[in-house]
Amino acid sequence: MDLKTSHNSPVFVDPLPSLALPMTYTTPTSFPSSGLYLNTPKKKPLPSKIEEVRAAGWLDLMLASSPPRKRQSKDFLPHDVQADDLDLRYRNWMVNYPSALGSFEAITELARGKKLALFLDYDGTLSPIVDNPANAVMSDEMRAAVRHVASLFPTAIISGRSRDKVFDFVKLTELYYAGSHGMDIMGPIRKSESNGHHVECVRSTDSEGKEVNLFQPASEFLPMIAEGV
Ligand SMILES: O=P(O)(O)OC[C@H]1O[C@H](O[C@H]2O[C@H](CO)[C@@H](O)[C@H](O)[C@H]2O)[C@H](O)[C@@H](O)[C@@H]1O
């Protein structure tokens, strides 16, 4: 993987320019009811403490953009929220954020002739949602499916969890892992990347001693993030 960056916007560019993943540091200004998610390029100074992140309202904004939990024990529902309300809110949310599987043919058509990369979430996508995050184990069947797809396309898992935690569940060295919401990225070393290696991308070894690329665009914040997750 070749990572190119400016001070403002590190971008994956190799070898998939049409699928480049911009990682501009922006904050959402609003969450319109239409489901459209507007970002402005206006920059805010980076917070230095997790308390500042909370105070800036960013955690609330992230929660607002997450789907309501479909299955939630009645015991844990706030007293003014009924299970039926929750189902209705979930169905409404699905109108704005429909499943890509419902448009599979159209997506296949758009993808024809293009180089593809696959970006996957972990919790609730590759593993079931369970009460204890430590038990969110991926099935062998799912692991085999991900291994197969990774043999066809560059495949990445992007998670709010730390990179190590996701890797411990998945254990496929051929994948890219973007942990801590992209602050901590690990990827396999590809034969094609002998030149143009990015200065912020460093060689390291994974927990099994295999050589990997590490890209940690804000490594100074990783201890603070580890404290919060
Ligand atoms: O950004 P994501 O990769 O989608 O991670 C979101 C959170 O995932 C995990 O929590 C979720 O899954 C748990 C296990 O099924 C579940 O118990 C929890 O209710 C879900 O929110 C993870 O534990 C969090 O750290 C991530 O932020």
Side-chain angles (χ1 to χ4, degrees), residues 16 35 50 68 72-73 100 104 117 144 164 184-185 200 219 221 227-228:
L16 306 162
I50 197 145
Q72 194 166 9
S73 164
F104 194 74
D164 288 348
D184 186 6
I185 301 173
E200 288 185 43
S219 51
F221 290 100
E227 193 189 309

Side-chain angles (χ1 to χ4, degrees), residues 2-227:
D2 187 7
L3 298 173
K4 292 208 181 336
T5 184
S6 68
H7 287 301
N8 297 333
S9 179
V11 176
F12 287 76
V13 294
D14 172 35
L16 306 162
S18 59
L19 292 176
L21 172 65
M23 294 169 67
T24 312
Y25 178 79
T26 59
T27 52
T29 50
S30 63
F31 292 87
S33 57
S34 67
L36 286 174
Y37 182 102
L38 299 176
N39 271 349
T40 63
K42 202 169 67 181
K43 306 251 171 184
K44 279 192 176 180
L46 285 168
S48 59
K49 292 200 174 68
I50 197 145
E51 288 73 26
E52 290 176 31
V53 173
R54 285 203 182 92
W58 291 1
L59 286 181
D60 290 341
L61 286 172
M62 284 188 266
L63 285 172
S65 70
S66 299
R69 294 283 297 277
K70 188 181 180 193
R71 282 184 296 137
Q72 194 166 9
S73 164
K74 278 188 204 147
D75 300 341
F76 294 107
L77 286 179
H79 67 277
D80 57 338
V81 177
Q82 302 299 314
D84 286 352
D85 292 346
L86 206 63
D87 264 0
L88 183 64
R89 279 165 54 190
Y90 184 77
R91 282 203 298 275
N92 284 341
W93 190 89
M94 286 293 287
V95 170
N96 288 329
Y97 303 94
S99 168
L101 293 177
S103 309
F104 194 74
E105 294 302 324
I107 292 171
T108 308
E109 205 47 50
L110 284 170
R112 200 176 298 284
K114 300 195 173 104
K115 280 189 171 179
L116 300 181
L118 188 63
F119 295 85
L120 299 166
D121 184 25
Y122 183 74
D123 289 280
T125 301
L126 300 180
S127 68
I129 291 290
V130 291
D131 286 337
N132 181 352
N135 295 337
V137 176
M138 182 183 184
S139 69
D140 289 342
E141 194 185 2
M142 181 64 85
R143 185 173 295 98
V146 174
R147 180 184 286 123
H148 177 60
V149 84
S151 72
L152 304 172
F153 316 113
T155 301
I157 299 179
I158 303 169
S159 179
R161 288 181 185 256
S162 75
R163 171 172 59 78
D164 288 348
K165 282 185 186 162
V166 180
F167 182 80
D168 285 347
F169 281 127
V170 180
K171 290 201 184 308
L172 291 173
T173 54
E174 58 268 55
L175 304 186
Y176 296 86
Y177 294 86
S180 302
H181 300 285
M183 293 279 200
D184 186 6
I185 301 173
M186 178 176 81
I189 293 170
R190 300 168 62 172
K191 290 189 193 107
S192 60
E193 67 181 56
S194 49
N195 49 27
H197 195 71
H198 192 274
V199 67
E200 288 185 43
C201 188
V202 296
R203 289 279 160 98
S204 184
T205 48
D206 67 14
S207 55
E208 294 168 3
K210 190 171 177 182
E211 237 197 329
V212 292
N213 280 327
L214 274 187
F215 182 68
Q216 297 171 321
S219 51
E220 69 271 32
F221 290 100
L222 290 177
M224 183 179 96
I225 292 168
E227 193 189 309

